[in-house]
């Protein structure tokens, strides 16, 4: 038999018991047989895109790498929220100089190095400046920002926050519209309509007069795209279809269906593809 390596002998004092190892925390929020579950829309959207990705990230603890652009979308949203609240309070939109000051005080990217932070802050300035210049009227119509919603359906409660709610839709004081901002790094846009239909449904159930919803692609707008703002169907028929889709996904989740939905384009952008045996490469 082989002798013990002298290198191993040098490391014997570092040996630990298997029982002392800290293994990834496996969460079990959604147990089979649950009659009802509560889930955020972002989690539900991730599950609907790929149930295995959802399991790897949310239940087995495989977190994405700390990319320098991590949080860029949230940082831009925070700046826009600050501008909307400032305009509502003062009655006037910020000037270019005031906008730079707001960015200096409100734009945070904790994982970016200095050159990357500077580059992304300038990109954010262009996105926000275009929005303020072309859509100043939105800032004066701001009814509420970061509005929390809860949609209670049979077997599932979905939580989330709408970026902005505007009043005076079609000139009517109490008529509201939900506006959702997207940046070029916000990822897959396939769930945008479902997200706003869920929020509109929750608002209508609260008694709010939600008459419209829009997705505003900040990146496309900054590039001069005239179709950067997309109207989302929030008619009773569309909302009923959205409810069925959500409840169907919730039933799958409650039955612990974590089957993969591999597609080449989707897998290439997946943050857990390196630990996924179903990923298409």
């Amino acid at each position: 038999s082989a002798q013990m390596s002298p290198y191993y002998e040098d490391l014997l004092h570092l040996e630990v018991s298997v029982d002392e190892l800290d293994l990834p925390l496996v969460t079990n929020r959604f147990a089979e047989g649950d009659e009802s579950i509560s889930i955020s829309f972002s989690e539900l959207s991730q599950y609907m895109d790929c149930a295995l990705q959802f399991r790897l990230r949310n239940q087995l603890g495989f977190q994405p790498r700390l990319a320098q652009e991590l949080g860029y979308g949230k940082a831009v949203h925070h700046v826009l929220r600050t501008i909307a609240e400032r305009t509502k309070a003062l009655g006037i939109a910020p000037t270019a100089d005031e906008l730079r000051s707001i960015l200096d005080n409100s734009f945070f990217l904790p994982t970016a190095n200095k050159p990357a932070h500077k580059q992304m802050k300038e990109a954010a300035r262009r996105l926000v400046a275009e929005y303020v210049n072309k859509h100043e009227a939105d800032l004066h119509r701001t009814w509420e920002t970061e509005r929390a919603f809860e949609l209670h359906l049979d077997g599932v409660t979905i939580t989330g926050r709408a970026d902005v709610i505007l009043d005076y839709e079609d000139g009517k004081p109490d008529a509201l519209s939900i506006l959702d901002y997207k940046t070029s790094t916000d990822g897959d846009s396939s769930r945008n309509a479902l997200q706003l239909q869920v929020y509109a449904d929750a608002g209508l159930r609260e008694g709010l007069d939600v008459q419209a919803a829009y997705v505003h692609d900040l990146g496309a707008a900054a590039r001069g795209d005239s179709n950067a703002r997309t109207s989302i169907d929030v008619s009773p028929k569309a909302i009923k279809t959205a409810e069925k889709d959500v409840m169907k996904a919730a039933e799958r989740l409650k039955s612990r269906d974590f089957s993969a939905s591999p597609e080449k384009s989707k897998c290439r952008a997946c943050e857990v593809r390196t630990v996924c045996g179903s990923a298409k490469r």
Side-chain angles (χ1 to χ4, degrees):
S1 62
Q3 292 185 340
M4 183 182 294
S5 165
Y7 300 108
Y8 182 71
E9 290 179 343
D10 287 343
L11 297 173
L12 272 175
H13 67 286
L14 297 176
E15 184 177 11
V16 295
S17 166
V18 173
D19 295 333
E20 297 176 41
L21 295 176
D22 289 327
L23 299 175
L25 178 63
V26 178
T27 59
N28 191 24
R29 284 172 52 199
F30 310 107
E32 190 169 5
D34 282 349
E35 292 186 7
S36 184
I37 60 173
S38 180
I39 187 171
S40 71
F41 180 84
S42 61
E43 289 176 319
L44 183 66
S45 176
Q46 190 180 96
Y47 177 80
M48 294 173 77
D49 282 339
C50 179
L52 182 55
Q53 178 199 178
F54 173 86
R55 187 180 187 217
L56 289 170
R57 290 186 57 177
N58 289 278
Q59 296 200 287
L60 300 183
F62 289 98
Q63 295 301 314
R65 63 186 176 85
L66 292 177
Q68 296 203 56
E69 66 272 16
L70 187 67
Y72 175 76
K74 288 185 178 180
V76 173
H77 281 63
H78 178 67
V79 171
L80 284 167
R81 182 169 71 250
T82 301
I83 291 170
E85 292 173 350
R86 178 192 182 282
T87 302
K88 183 178 180 180
L90 300 180
I92 186 170
T95 64
D97 287 342
E98 289 169 338
L99 180 56
R100 289 184 183 278
S101 178
I102 291 171
L103 275 161
D104 288 341
N105 293 323
S106 305
F107 186 81
F108 300 108
L109 280 179
T111 63
N113 59 35
K114 199 167 185 178
H117 187 280
K118 181 179 180 181
Q119 182 181 12
M120 284 186 276
K121 188 165 86 168
E122 177 56 25
R125 186 198 63 77
R126 290 194 298 270
L127 297 187
V128 174
E130 188 282 337
Y131 182 82
V132 172
N133 290 334
K134 299 283 182 64
H135 299 278
E136 182 179 339
D138 286 357
L139 300 176
H140 295 283
R141 291 173 51 207
T142 300
W143 185 73
E144 195 166 345
T145 63
E146 288 292 305
R147 175 58 150 76
F149 282 117
E150 284 192 3
L151 176 61
H152 302 279
L153 299 175
D154 186 19
V156 59
T157 295
I158 306 157
T159 62
R161 289 182 179 273
D163 291 338
V164 176
I165 301 180
L166 306 177
D167 55 15
Y168 283 88
E169 181 67 19
D170 283 336
K172 304 170 188 174
D174 296 326
L176 305 176
S177 59
I178 301 175
L179 181 61
D180 189 61
Y181 302 125
K182 298 296 178 187
T183 66
S184 58
T185 61
D186 277 343
D188 184 11
S189 61
S190 63
R191 301 293 176 196
N192 292 346
L194 182 62
Q195 178 184 17
L196 291 180
Q197 287 158 352
V198 165
Y199 292 172
D201 193 5
L204 289 166
R205 287 168 180 255
E206 286 184 36
L208 302 178
D209 186 13
V210 180
Q211 294 194 358
Y214 305 95
V215 173
H216 190 92
D217 187 331
L218 296 162
R223 296 190 296 270
D225 187 344
S226 59
N227 298 314
R229 180 169 292 193
T230 304
S231 178
I232 301 301
D233 186 359
V234 291
S235 65
K237 182 180 179 180
I239 286 178
K240 185 60 66 177
T241 299
E243 289 181 353
K244 290 179 181 177
D245 290 343
V246 164
M247 288 190 289
K248 184 178 179 181
E251 288 304 315
R252 284 181 55 214
L253 181 53
K254 285 188 285 185
S255 68
R256 297 186 60 76
D257 178 357
F258 295 115
S259 54
S261 305
E263 296 174 9
K264 257 188 180 178
S265 58
K266 186 164 62 176
C267 292
R268 284 173 179 169
C270 180
E271 293 170 322
V272 292
R273 64 187 179 278
T274 55
V275 292
C276 176
S278 301
K280 288 190 176 181
R281 292 174 173 84

